[in-house]
Amino acid sequence: MARVIRGEGGSLQQRGELLFKQGNYQGALDAFTEALSCKDADVMSILDNRAATYIKLARYDRALIDSRNMVRKDTKDGRGILRYGQVLLLTGDRVKALKAYGYGLKTLPNDNPRRKFVLQMFCKVRDAASVKRLDPFSVLPLEIAMMVLRHLSFREIVTYTRVSKGWQSFLSMRDLWMRLDLSEARRKASWRSIRTYIQRSGAMLTHATISNIASQSQDKVLVYLSRCPKLESLEIGDPIRRHEGLYNQFEGCKQLRSLVIAKGTPVSQENIAKFLSNLPNLEHLEVHNAQPSAETKVQWPSHLPNMRKVTLSTEEAAVQPPGRVNALYLPPVTESQPCVMPNLEELRIDSYPKVWSPYELSFDPNQFPRLRKLELKGVFIGGFALPSTLEHLSIQAGSCPGEQEFPFPFRRSPHLRHLHTLLLRDLSWVTRTTLHTFIVTTEAPLRKLIVASCPRLDYAQLEHLLTEHPIDLTELGICALRGVTDMSVRALVQHLPNLYALDVSVTDVTGRLVKMFADARPADNLPRLKYLNVAHCEHVLYEAVAYGRSHNINVVTR
């Protein structure tokens, strides 16, 4: 190392400053570092210069070290405080920067010329922090604040009432409490909490989702809800202990348009008929634990013009003894009785008895002239044609007479020219002929096709059909389909340029398939997937899943 002579420190410092002005920050850094080793070095100035150079190089950790060393060397100088605060602000730590400037104000004497700059920076950081803490509800116009609040969930509104008394007062406006939703509650809610929420709405509650209620509070909560004259939507998620009296509590809610009762609460056919008879505005009914009733007690209304959507589910036996009405009963059309629900658009029937046997429908779906969506689970398929108005058809775990390949007889026109969604799951009668009839004979313009766990159908049959009769699918599911591999999927989707969702769960695909879609380019003739389901695919490792997700594909693994 060359012998350092007196005066060399100042020369190196001047050289570093010149290089700094020229933008050669690495050269300036080397010069300042060498200058610090000189005997005559102005350590405070050189450290300040080197910290500024580190800032230009975005090496904030080193700049912090130099600025702290400046403060330790001379607390009365002020330059160390200013540089230290600057670096903290650049790293986003405003709290520490404010403390640093405050420390400088305490240690620097009043006659120090740099004290004025420290005070300016202290005030600037403090004022910026105080602006961020402004109460938004005191700044925003009422109309804009209400627009923001309407995007909050019920749980978030309840949480924000605990921020301050001012927020609690502002958030007590009646319009914010018209919808009661306890589905996201972390703890069991008491009847006192529910009463408070209803009081804030002025007893004008319109929507209520009841779940996570303390069992001892159930009776009072149901009473409070039944006294809300404007109640339009009621969803009961908790199992109701005294379910026999549920109808009596809500028979007076004449404004009710939507009623959903979850699986934990049994509802008999007798009470289903009573609900429909006494709630004239009801448009949406879901009962997920329907129960059979004595035939003499079931009296369905003769006309329900407002009903648009019905869901009935049960675990009860599909065949009931004489004199009993099945849990999934809907009145059929007869010579003396026209269609009870002429405007029904969506219908779902789920039968999953403990001892399985298919349920035979008590009605013909064709009796609903506006039916758009039909979902059948555990139902005996046969004897009825598919309505030509259908847009969505889902059939799961059903049987048909003689294992016919297309058990729906054609009446009048065979066309289903509105059917865009077809889901077939756990069906032993589905074959290539079944799909051929849907795609070719009925001329269904399918956009979504799900074929899952259908043992008489394999990949080769499906590929041959879609190659011979191409359709513009955007969603495809081939869950648990025989013969599905990486290469077979590639060959299949090349005929589907607009596909964005693919389900290959429970198949033999590997992580190569995920990477293939992630790396797809226009020249590869592969669709750009947004969703890929690889659940229960043993050969798809986590590395491939992470790779797909990093390329904006939502890879589902369970």
Side-chain angles (χ1 to χ4, degrees):
M1 182 176 177
R3 182 172 173 272
V4 178
I5 60 175
R6 188 172 183 83
E8 189 175 357
S11 299
L12 287 171
Q13 183 178 358
Q14 289 179 359
R15 174 176 171 77
E17 291 172 352
L18 179 61
L19 292 171
F20 185 91
K21 291 179 182 179
Q22 294 174 348
N24 186 356
Y25 301 121
Q26 186 59 50
L29 179 63
D30 295 339
F32 291 137
T33 302
E34 187 177 355
L36 285 174
S37 62
C38 298
K39 294 181 179 179
D40 61 338
D42 184 355
V43 176
M44 287 293 292
S45 297
I46 296 174
L47 284 175
D48 191 34
N49 290 337
R50 192 170 72 167
T53 308
Y54 278 131
I55 290 173
K56 288 293 186 179
L57 295 171
R59 295 172 63 179
Y60 301 122
D61 55 336
R62 304 298 301 178
L64 282 173
I65 293 174
D66 278 359
S67 55
R68 278 199 294 262
N69 288 335
M70 291 172 66
V71 174
R72 293 192 188 101
K73 186 169 182 63
D74 190 352
T75 58
K76 307 294 184 182
D77 186 82
R79 284 179 291 179
I81 293 294
L82 289 169
R83 190 66 71 187
Y84 186 59
Q86 179 191 9
V87 179
L88 290 172
L89 290 175
L90 289 172
T91 58
D93 198 341
R94 292 181 175 273
V95 175
K96 283 189 177 180
L98 189 64
K99 290 181 179 179
Y101 293 133
Y103 173 77
L105 293 176
K106 292 180 180 178
T107 57
L108 293 177
N110 293 331
D111 58 349
N112 190 308
R114 297 190 180 95
R115 194 178 193 280
K116 178 178 66 174
F117 300 110
V118 174
L119 178 60
Q120 289 176 353
M121 291 305 302
F122 178 84
C123 295
K124 183 178 180 180
V125 176
R126 182 195 60 191
D127 294 344
S130 63
V131 168
K132 283 194 171 183
R133 288 197 298 267
L134 285 177
D135 186 346
F137 299 133
S138 65
V139 176
L140 293 175
L142 179 61
E143 296 80 4
I144 297 179
M146 289 300 296
M147 290 172 63
V148 173
L149 291 172
R150 287 194 179 98
H151 288 278
L152 301 179
S153 66
F154 179 80
R155 176 183 167 186
E156 288 170 334
I157 292 176
V158 173
T159 302
Y160 293 158
T161 58
R162 305 188 185 113
V163 172
S164 66
K165 290 183 179 180
W167 279 36
Q168 184 180 36
S169 176
F170 184 82
L171 294 172
S172 295
M173 289 184 294
R174 178 182 296 182
D175 291 348
L176 298 175
W177 299 90
M178 296 299 185
R179 295 173 177 264
L180 173 64
D181 185 355
L182 300 174
S183 59
E184 297 182 355
R186 294 180 179 177
R187 296 177 296 185
K188 295 291 184 180
S190 68
W191 62 268
R192 291 182 177 86
S193 299
I194 307 302
R195 182 182 63 181
T196 301
Y197 303 150
I198 294 176
Q199 287 173 346
R200 286 176 177 169
S201 73
M204 293 291 123
L205 199 70
T206 59
H207 294 71
T209 300
I210 302 304
S211 58
N212 298 307
I213 302 293
S215 57
Q216 63 272 21
S217 298
Q218 276 188 359
D219 295 340
K220 288 187 176 181
V221 169
L222 294 176
V223 170
Y224 293 148
L225 291 174
S226 66
R227 293 174 181 173
C228 297
K230 299 291 184 180
L231 190 63
E232 296 179 3
S233 175
L234 175 62
E235 181 175 347
I236 300 176
D238 284 344
I240 303 300
R241 293 177 302 170
R242 301 180 184 179
H243 54 83
E244 301 88 354
L246 193 61
Y247 161 73
N248 296 327
Q249 286 181 315
F250 291 98
E251 62 177 327
C253 297
K254 303 299 183 182
Q255 300 299 318
L256 206 60
R257 296 178 181 272
S258 176
L259 177 60
V260 178
I261 304 175
K263 185 178 178 180
T265 304
V267 183
S268 65
Q269 262 287 332
E270 175 187 359
N271 282 333
I272 291 174
K274 286 182 178 180
F275 273 124
L276 294 172
S277 299
N278 289 279
L279 301 176
N281 293 317
L282 204 61
E283 300 176 359
H284 174 200
L285 175 66
E286 288 188 31
V287 177
H288 292 274
N289 190 359
Q291 298 291 310
S293 295
E295 189 174 338
T296 56
K297 294 184 178 181
V298 179
Q299 296 181 357
W300 270 69
S302 59
H303 194 48
L304 295 169
N306 294 321
M307 186 59 65
R308 300 289 190 275
K309 180 178 180 181
V310 172
T311 295
L312 294 180
S313 305
T314 190
E315 292 181 347
E316 294 297 310
V319 179
Q320 292 293 316
R324 300 281 291 177
V325 175
N326 197 287
L328 304 179
Y329 173 81
L330 291 180
V333 171
T334 62
E335 293 183 359
S336 59
Q337 176 61 57
C339 181
V340 174
M341 297 176 285
N343 296 314
L344 189 68
E345 297 179 356
E346 299 183 23
L347 175 61
R348 177 179 172 183
I349 300 294
D350 285 357
S351 175
Y352 41 95
K354 297 176 181 178
V355 179
W356 192 86
S357 62
Y359 170 72
E360 293 194 34
L361 298 178
S362 61
F363 59 92
D364 184 344
N366 283 277
Q367 73 186 42
F368 306 114
R370 298 187 178 183
L371 192 64
R372 297 185 298 105
K373 185 174 183 179
L374 178 62
E375 298 185 355
L376 303 174
K377 180 179 180 181
V379 171
F380 181 80
I381 305 297
F384 64 86
L386 294 173
S388 60
T389 55
L390 280 185
E391 299 175 6
H392 177 112
L393 175 62
S394 174
I395 304 175
Q396 180 177 357
S399 63
C400 68
E403 293 299 316
Q404 299 178 17
E405 293 179 315
F406 193 82
F408 307 100
F410 289 122
R411 297 176 183 172
R412 297 183 295 276
S413 172
H415 297 145
L416 298 172
R417 289 175 176 160
H418 303 285
L419 186 66
H420 56 70
T421 300
L422 177 62
L423 293 83
L424 304 172
R425 295 188 177 96
D426 301 311
L427 299 171
S428 60
W429 48 267
V430 171
T431 65
R432 179 184 183 280
T433 302
T434 309
L435 296 182
H436 183 275
T437 306
F438 274 114
I439 294 172
V440 180
T441 307
T442 68
E443 299 180 4
L446 293 179
R447 302 285 287 171
K448 178 178 181 179
L449 175 62
I450 305 294
V451 184
S453 301
C454 297
R456 295 176 64 185
L457 182 71
D458 60 24
Y459 155 75
Q461 295 172 339
L462 180 62
E463 185 197 14
H464 184 266
L465 177 64
L466 294 182
T467 304
E468 191 176 79
H469 305 282
I471 52 178
D472 190 18
L473 290 178
T474 57
E475 300 179 59
L476 174 64
I478 47 178
C479 173
L481 195 67
R482 289 182 291 115
V484 175
T485 63
D486 297 343
M487 297 309 297
S488 63
V489 171
R490 182 189 181 100
L492 181 63
V493 299
Q494 284 181 339
H495 306 290
L496 305 171
N498 295 318
L499 193 73
Y500 69 82
L502 178 63
D503 182 357
V504 290
S505 55
V506 200
T507 62
D508 293 328
V509 300
T510 69
R512 294 189 186 93
L513 182 72
V514 181
K515 294 183 178 180
M516 179 182 71
F517 284 116
D519 296 334
R521 298 177 181 178
D524 297 330
N525 198 24
L526 292 174
R528 294 294 297 174
L529 291 187
K530 296 180 181 178
Y531 306 95
L532 179 61
N533 189 341
V534 292
H536 306 292
C537 294
E538 297 178 356
H539 305 295
V540 178
L541 302 181
Y542 177 76
E543 290 78 5
V545 173
Y547 187 78
R549 290 171 178 171
S550 68
H551 286 70
N552 299 320
I553 298 179
N554 183 6
V555 184
V556 180
T557 58
R558 58 181 178 180

